[in-house]
Amino acid sequence: MAGNEVEVISHLLEVEQAAVALTTEAQTEADKRISAARAKADAEFKAGFDKIVSENERVFEFEREKISADSERSVKEFKDRIEASAKDVAAFNSYLEEILFA
């Protein structure tokens, strides 16, 4: 009977070792799959992020050029209005004499 018990215990130890090996193999495979999924997700995130950044840079550059052109146009219009305005030198000289020598 003792031999039978030893055989049962030996068999149970073999089953346990097989279970440990199977669990270790499963954990290794799970780690590989998780790493692959993480790498894929990171790559997809980076691609999406780069696309958004690129679009925002394009919009920023377009708006910057538009604002710059509008600003240059406004300054030119202001200069043109000033240059086109009539200059009353006599009234200016009179005003200066009134302020400075009064």
Side-chain angles (χ1 to χ4, degrees), residues 5 7-8 14 21 25 35 37 40 47-48 54 62-64 70-71 75 87 91 94 96 100 102:
E5 292 173 351
E7 288 179 21
V8 170
E14 289 172 9
E25 184 180 325
S35 292
K40 181 181 176 188
S54 175
F62 174 78
E63 291 296 324
R64 188 184 65 77
D70 289 347
S71 176
V75 168
K87 294 163 186 71
S94 173
L96 284 180
L100 296 175

Side-chain angles (χ1 to χ4, degrees), residues 5-24:
E5 292 173 351
V6 170
E7 288 179 21
V8 170
I9 291 174
S10 292
H11 178 69
L12 290 175
L13 288 173
E14 289 172 9
V15 169
E16 182 181 9
Q17 287 177 348
V20 167
L22 186 60
T23 303
T24 302

Side-chain angles (χ1 to χ4, degrees), residues 23 29 32 35 43 45 53 61 67 75 85 95 97 99-100:
T23 303
E29 181 64 25
K32 286 180 188 177
S35 292
F45 173 80
V53 167
E61 192 60 34
I67 290 169
V75 168
S85 66
Y95 178 69
E97 283 186 30
I99 291 176
L100 296 175

Side-chain angles (χ1 to χ4, degrees), residues 25-83:
E25 184 180 325
Q27 184 63 50
T28 303
E29 181 64 25
D31 291 343
K32 286 180 188 177
R33 289 181 183 189
I34 289 170
S35 292
R38 181 174 286 125
K40 181 181 176 188
D42 288 347
E44 289 174 358
F45 173 80
K46 183 171 179 358
F49 180 81
D50 289 345
K51 181 180 176 185
I52 291 169
V53 167
S54 175
E55 177 64 18
N56 285 341
E57 285 176 346
R58 187 189 65 76
V59 169
F60 169 78
E61 192 60 34
F62 174 78
E63 291 296 324
R64 188 184 65 77
E65 289 175 6
K66 180 181 168 191
I67 290 169
S68 179
D70 289 347
S71 176
E72 287 177 17
R73 182 183 45 77
S74 294
V75 168
K76 184 177 180 328
E77 288 175 0
F78 180 72
K79 279 182 166 180
D80 291 346
R81 276 196 323 251
I82 289 177
E83 289 174 358

